[in-house]
Amino acid sequence: MTQGRAEWLRVPVGDGAVRWATRGKCLRVLVVVHNVTSATRLLDVLPLFDGDLRIQLLATCPQSSAFSAGTAELLAGTGVPVLPWEQALQTPVDLAVSASFGGELELLRGKLAVLSHGVGYTKRLAAPDTGHRTPDAGAAAGTEAGARAGSESGPVPVFGQAPQWVLSDGVPVADALVLSHPEQCDRLRAACPEAAPTAVLAGDPCFDRVLAARPYRERFRRALGVRAGQRLIVLNSTWNPASFFGDGGTGGDDLLPALLPRLAREFPVDEYRFAAVLHPNIWHGHGPGQVRAWLDRARRGGLALIDPLEGWRQALVAADAVVGDHGSVTFYAAALGTPVLLAAAPLHELDPEAPISDFMRVAPRLDPGAPLREQVDRLVERHRPLPGPAEFTTSVPGEAAARLRSLFYSMMGAAEPEWPASLQPLPLPGHEPVSVTVPLHVLTRVSHRGEVTMTRWAGAPPSAGCADGDVHIAVHEDTRDVDGLELADVVFRDGRPDDPRFGSPALWTAEVLDRHPGCALAAFVAGPSECVVRPRGGRLLGLTSAPEAPVDPAAAASALHALLGAGDGGGNAVAGRLVALLADGGFTVRTGARSARVRVVGLSPG
């Protein structure tokens, strides 16, 4: 245990801490973080200790998880003193809080509370190795090793419920096992009677934060770049080969390689926005850089990749539908009443008695062989929430903060602070504008009233979609598909109008038309609802739409291109149409069922 002792902390605990610590009489609360996944739940509850000068927070990582990558950086970001695991085992604490089992928790010197890091305990996982009782130390039920373990020694145990997980030498590992619903208590009692006395019904702090954030749904949607009239579809995957993101393992199906290109082909970018919420074990098991590389083409087609620690709950609140699997996030979405379509549902990996299994049996399934857009639209339009998820996620909604703080302080033998217990509100994410850099194929139809009906696809459109209307190509200047720039009718980019690298929107548009002789219009997007455009042979123009319901400025530029070229007729005809547009003050753009007005003004070259 003394190996690496030079790395041990000396303040606020350790050798000489009494001499060096400014507040040395504090109650010690040790947060045991196995991996980034468990950290999400622990970060939910840490604010319960805010403001209490009697508490000294400490953190440690048992290094028992196969997914420990990223944990050290996360802990450093909290600013809480981090103890090496060996020092944590030697340090007396008043309370230890974990959101997983593992790393010989029974050796900690203090009372231990264990929380679930999902919607209760639902998954079957092979029995852990001695000393490494953690959900990713054993083999998942769907893997070859997991199946072998189940066939040789009976059914694969349920993580967090079976004796193999919750007992050590016949004694409960936790002094308090926090559960969110009485049905979890019933399953624990049936699976491991010895641990049943440790069960505490204290709700679900994660879901309580989500429930409290629902009034801010429109803000979250705007942060994700969702425009009026768009549907936000969240793609959600837990980890392991049988998940939505998984490759199916031995003999399984790999859905994603064929599915992702179809999202671009079947869903117009102005009517749908996609976001991916992937389990932290995917991010940190394969590496964030690898995940981004795998999804690069989809991201360039407009897919938002959501931060696995902070952003996924806001994305759930914002979603119009979720395409997911057997993970907790999908069940949380259903508990919110959001339409859910199952892309993967390996029931053999779940406790058949858990409510999530009941939900997986009856929830609608994705048919990979059928048109995707029709399935998503039908899901949203015919949705009737199933009662199970909302009923069984927590039996005490809104009460987790009060119940958990009461539990924690009673375990320490200390009086609670006088102020009410509360959780942190979900933060408003930074704005993530839609950035489509693959070539856009734009189908337009111009009415006699000067209204432009438009459909844009990130990639080649369905062949049947181009029968009625004119098609042109619009390409972002930063595209990796550089050959597309030479074929582009419209070239656009986004940036700050005062960015000296571009000189000015006027200079940039002139340079683009000079560099790309086949381009008919250049558009500099200067904000969510405005851009500066220059038609070839025409004057500099400003296009704006109402900030409360903006039109994508790149779409407005394509609509203007369609208007100026309607009926062709040469330069004089184009000039005449431009004069008419300026006289009318603008034009109307229709995408899907939504129409909006775009204002046109003439700009001086300066």
Side-chain angles (χ1 to χ4, degrees):
M1 285 292 187
T2 59
Q3 185 177 6
R5 199 178 182 99
E7 305 297 324
W8 288 20
L9 296 188
R10 294 179 60 190
V11 185
V13 296
D15 296 339
V18 173
R19 176 183 179 188
W20 301 111
T22 301
R23 297 188 65 82
K25 299 179 181 179
C26 291
L27 298 167
R28 296 171 178 173
V29 175
L30 177 68
V31 182
V32 183
V33 182
H34 293 78
N35 48 39
V36 175
T37 305
S38 65
T40 61
R41 184 54 49 93
L42 295 170
L43 293 176
D44 282 333
V45 303
L46 281 188
L48 296 176
F49 301 105
D50 285 354
D52 193 342
L53 273 69
R54 300 171 297 165
I55 299 295
Q56 172 65 63
L57 293 175
L58 306 166
T60 190
C61 177
Q63 299 294 335
S64 61
S65 171
F67 298 100
S68 59
T71 308
E73 294 83 354
L74 184 149
L75 290 176
T78 67
V80 172
V82 180
L83 277 62
W85 179 241
E86 292 77 9
Q87 184 180 10
L89 294 179
Q90 295 284 324
T91 302
V93 296
D94 298 280
L95 174 68
V97 184
S98 175
S100 192
F101 291 93
E104 302 173 305
L105 295 177
E106 66 275 8
L107 299 183
L108 290 169
R109 299 176 63 182
K111 295 289 185 69
L112 172 65
V114 176
L115 289 72
S116 164
H117 57 256
V119 284
Y121 297 102
T122 63
K123 291 186 179 180
R124 291 188 177 278
L125 291 164
D129 298 328
T130 303
H132 296 282
R133 193 175 287 100
T134 181
D136 31 64
T143 65
E144 181 180 349
R148 185 170 61 250
S151 62
E152 293 173 354
S153 56
V156 177
V158 176
F159 169 71
Q161 297 266 311
Q164 298 95 316
W165 294 104
V166 300
L167 300 181
S168 176
D169 295 328
V171 177
V173 172
D175 297 282
L177 183 56
V178 175
L179 304 175
S180 64
H181 195 281
E183 72 81 19
Q184 297 168 19
C185 301
D186 295 339
R187 285 193 290 123
L188 176 65
R189 192 176 299 111
C192 186
E194 302 90 334
T198 68
V200 179
L201 187 63
D204 186 322
C206 172
F207 193 57
D208 280 0
R209 294 182 73 195
V210 173
L211 291 175
R214 285 186 297 181
Y216 306 104
R217 181 173 187 267
E218 290 304 317
R219 293 184 187 176
F220 295 157
R221 289 171 65 83
R222 288 192 290 267
L224 284 168
V226 180
R227 296 180 182 272
Q230 277 187 314
R231 282 178 171 165
L232 173 63
I233 313 301
V234 169
L235 310 178
N236 166 243
S237 178
T238 188
W239 67 280
N240 79 34
S243 68
F244 182 14
F245 199 80
D247 59 13
T250 304
D253 294 327
D254 190 356
L255 180 62
L256 274 178
L259 182 67
L260 288 175
R262 291 178 61 191
L263 299 181
R265 291 197 303 268
E266 298 186 33
F267 293 88
V269 298
D270 295 303
E271 298 171 50
Y272 298 87
R273 171 78 157 134
F274 283 87
V277 171
L278 305 180
H279 194 285
N281 287 356
I282 298 175
W283 280 88
H284 297 287
H286 295 281
Q290 180 63 74
V291 171
R292 295 188 186 97
W294 277 334
L295 294 177
D296 175 72
R297 182 74 180 179
R299 292 170 63 214
R300 290 188 282 122
L303 175 74
L305 194 50
I306 304 300
D307 180 88
L309 185 64
E310 288 292 341
W312 66 269
R313 284 165 285 212
Q314 295 89 326
L316 277 194
V317 174
D320 292 294
V322 170
V323 181
D325 56 20
H326 59 301
S328 292
V329 173
T330 301
F331 197 71
Y332 277 135
L336 286 171
T338 303
V340 167
L341 195 62
L342 296 179
L347 290 172
H348 61 278
E349 292 198 353
L350 301 173
D351 180 356
E353 302 301 320
I356 193 171
S357 291
D358 291 337
F359 172 72
M360 293 289 158
R361 294 185 190 102
V362 299
R365 301 290 184 95
L366 178 73
D367 180 357
L372 300 179
R373 182 178 177 183
E374 291 179 13
Q375 294 183 69
V376 169
D377 289 347
R378 184 168 58 247
L379 173 76
V380 174
E381 292 160 6
R382 300 181 183 179
H383 175 61
R384 297 293 183 273
L386 296 170
E391 177 183 352
F392 290 108
T393 296
T394 175
S395 62
V396 286
E399 297 183 23
R403 287 174 176 255
L404 285 171
R405 194 178 76 171
S406 176
L407 170 67
F408 293 158
Y409 277 83
S410 67
M411 293 178 72
M412 293 188 291
E416 288 188 67
E418 59 185 15
W419 52 85
S422 63
L423 303 172
Q424 289 278 10
L426 292 184
L428 182 63
H431 182 238
E432 184 165 349
V434 181
S435 181
V436 178
T437 61
V438 297
L440 285 162
H441 290 253
V442 187
L443 172 67
T444 60
R445 291 185 294 275
V446 179
S447 75
H448 66 278
R449 301 184 305 274
E451 179 179 276
V452 182
T453 299
M454 173 187 301
T455 308
R456 298 189 298 163
W457 289 275
S463 57
C466 300
D468 182 19
D470 297 314
V471 175
H472 70 263
I473 298 175
V475 184
H476 195 290
E477 188 184 36
D478 290 339
T479 186
R480 284 179 60 178
D481 303 271
V482 291
D483 291 344
L485 287 170
E486 300 311 312
L487 302 174
D489 302 284
V490 175
V491 173
F492 65 95
R493 74 159 303 109
D494 48 88
R496 291 175 53 89
D498 59 352
D499 190 328
R501 294 174 298 174
F502 305 123
S504 68
L507 179 60
W508 178 87
T509 53
E511 289 179 348
V512 166
L513 293 177
D514 184 59
R515 185 177 302 117
H516 303 291
C519 174
L521 184 144
F524 188 98
V525 177
S529 60
E530 60 183 307
C531 64
V532 175
V533 302
R534 187 191 296 272
R536 183 170 295 278
R539 61 179 299 186
L540 201 66
L541 303 170
L543 306 183
T544 59
S545 55
E548 61 272 12
V551 175
D552 183 343
S558 277
L560 177 64
H561 169 70
L563 280 167
L564 295 181
D568 205 1
N572 291 334
V574 170
R577 293 181 196 116
L578 182 54
V579 170
L581 285 172
L582 290 170
D584 291 342
F587 55 90
T588 299
V589 178
R590 175 174 291 276
T591 54
R594 175 179 178 258
S595 62
R597 190 73 177 166
V598 175
R599 183 168 174 253
V600 182
V601 296
L603 300 177
S604 66

